[in-house]
Amino acid sequence: MPTRALVLIDIQNDYFPGGKWTLSGIEPAADNAARVLAAARAVSDLVVHVRHEFPTADAPFFAPGSDGAKLHPKVRAAEGEPVVLKHHVNAFRETDLRAILDRHGIEEVVICGAMSHMCVDAGARAASDLGYRCIIVHDACATRDQEFEGVVVPAGQVHAAFMAALKF
């Protein structure tokens, strides 16, 4: 039984060019996530895909049932791999993610995905709070520029700040 799981968070079409909420660096991050996914499958680690949908059709992105809310083809779920649907930033909140991990005896989660400063951060912190060892594959995650009080913070700096905080 595997003790490690790969958890791919929100690598969905709306985050890619042509989508409703394009992220900086999403293409290379998804390529790296696809490599991590292939490696996890090769050693029979549990793979769990997390997919976000907002509750209403007027959402800024990830509208229910939309093409933008579908998993991106680079990391599409294989048959038998669980896909967890979430409606909050934290992938554990009001989902069966913890039950899936516990049912498989998982002790360590490897996390890839988007956005670094939101769902990756929240998922990693929740996993740690729940007692899982966490590894974040930083170059398989992406985000976008942020703004605070008129200051634009470039995506690379947002990503680095959150990865540094999580590494701490």
Side-chain angles (χ1 to χ4, degrees):
M1 183 181 307
T3 61
R4 180 177 52 221
L6 172 61
V7 179
L8 298 145
I9 299 177
D10 301 352
I11 305 177
Q12 295 168 247
N13 292 331
D14 269 345
Y15 281 155
F16 287 80
K20 291 184 175 182
W21 203 256
T22 305
L23 302 185
S24 177
I26 189 63
E27 293 282 0
D31 290 341
N32 289 336
R35 283 190 277 281
V36 173
L37 174 58
R41 287 173 174 161
V43 296
S44 300
D45 282 348
L46 177 67
V47 174
V48 181
H49 302 263
V50 177
R51 192 175 68 77
H52 193 142
E53 280 189 359
F54 286 97
T56 61
D58 64 345
F61 54 97
F62 297 161
S66 69
D67 284 339
K70 292 180 182 174
L71 295 174
H72 192 271
K74 289 182 180 184
V75 294
R76 191 162 286 140
E79 185 159 340
E81 292 175 348
V83 178
V84 172
L85 177 63
K86 69 180 178 78
H87 302 293
H88 301 283
V89 172
N90 177 351
F92 290 91
R93 182 177 170 192
E94 299 174 14
T95 72
D96 60 350
L97 178 56
R98 183 178 188 183
I100 291 167
L101 297 175
D102 288 351
R103 185 169 55 247
H104 288 89
I106 299 303
E107 298 171 357
E108 178 177 85
V109 293
V110 176
I111 297 174
C112 301
M115 293 185 285
S116 307
H117 72 286
M118 293 293 290
C119 299
V120 170
D121 178 66
R125 289 177 187 279
S128 181
D129 286 347
L130 293 169
Y132 302 102
R133 287 188 311 271
C134 294
I135 296 171
I136 300 172
V137 184
H138 71 90
D139 61 355
C141 298
T143 192
R144 58 186 284 152
D145 294 354
Q146 296 298 302
E147 184 272 332
F148 180 72
E149 294 190 1
V151 176
V152 174
V153 183
Q157 291 178 6
V158 172
H159 177 77
F162 275 81
M163 294 301 110
L166 290 170
K167 182 179 178 185
F168 179 77

